[in-house]
Amino acid sequence: MKTFKLCIMVCLVGIVSQAYSQTDKATTKKIVENKNYTFVANSASPLASADVAKVLSSIPGNSGGSVINLTGSGYTVRVTADSVVAHLPYYGRSYQAPVNPSEGGINFNSKKFTYSKTQGRKGSYDIKIDTKDNKGENYRLVLSISQSGYATLVANSIYKQPITYQGFLQEPKEK
């Protein structure tokens, strides 16, 4: 009877932990190894400064914290073997404004970039992407991915303060 109860408990823990993961371990490994995934941003955390805090406190519904909810917004970074396409909002201090105001945020399509991947402890991945072909502003994207598919993205540029995004990996949609 004790063995049966223990078996049931182990199964329940496995089911619950799978329910709280974004992808399974094998899927995460496959899409990272194939360089074919989409990072979906759920929240943004700008670098803390008095200026940013003042702006964030004026956003309706913001309680004065430095985390901005992006759930359901469609902000992504799509990575394939031959391109990196980013569509992310930017909150923070920019040292050079774009000529066209509609070109704000972190929006680019890069075909020339470096990509390095290291495997961390417990099946996690650390990925560094440096874009090289964006006119005027190139980015360093550092992506830390857990084996369950949750990820943190830090975007750096010489013209903007760093910003951190929390989200998850998604498999590419079949066409």
Side-chain angles (χ1 to χ4, degrees):
M1 188 67 170
K2 283 184 178 180
T3 307
F4 179 71
K5 286 181 181 179
L6 181 62
C7 183
I8 295 295
M9 290 297 290
V10 169
C11 289
L12 286 175
V13 168
I15 291 169
V16 169
S17 67
Q18 182 63 32
Y20 286 111
S21 66
Q22 185 57 39
T23 60
D24 61 14
K25 191 187 303 187
T27 302
T28 301
K29 181 176 182 173
K30 178 185 81 170
I31 62 179
V32 170
E33 294 293 330
N34 292 338
K35 278 201 258 186
N36 193 13
Y37 53 88
T38 300
F39 169 78
V40 179
N42 284 336
S43 66
S45 302
L47 188 64
S49 73
D51 297 333
V52 173
K54 185 185 268 187
V55 171
L56 289 176
S57 66
S58 69
I59 296 174
N62 191 318
S63 60
S66 62
V67 176
I68 300 162
N69 184 9
L70 303 174
T71 304
S73 61
Y75 291 119
T76 62
V77 176
R78 175 86 175 99
V79 177
T80 61
D82 62 347
S83 69
V84 177
V85 179
H87 174 63
L88 296 168
Y90 180 75
Y91 307 96
R93 179 170 281 175
S94 181
Y95 302 110
Q96 181 179 8
V99 175
N100 183 352
S102 68
E103 294 176 356
I106 299 175
N107 296 297
F108 63 83
N109 186 348
S110 181
K111 297 263 186 211
K112 186 177 179 188
F113 60 93
T114 60
Y115 182 99
S116 64
K117 173 186 60 132
T118 57
Q119 184 137 11
R121 295 180 14 203
K122 298 182 182 179
S124 65
Y125 296 93
D126 294 317
I127 295 169
K128 184 168 58 173
I129 301 168
D130 290 312
T131 64
K132 302 200 179 294
D133 59 351
N134 296 317
K135 55 182 177 187
E137 186 169 23
N138 285 301
Y139 290 92
R140 170 171 281 178
L141 306 176
V142 179
L143 191 58
S144 300
I145 305 166
S146 74
Q147 64 182 352
S148 60
Y150 290 101
T152 300
L153 173 71
V154 178
N156 290 301
S157 163
I158 62 171
Y159 298 119
K160 293 180 173 118
Q161 286 180 328
I163 185 168
T164 302
Y165 301 92
Q166 298 289 332
F168 59 91
L169 289 192
Q170 192 174 61
E171 285 187 89
K173 292 179 175 64
E174 298 295 324
K175 292 183 180 181

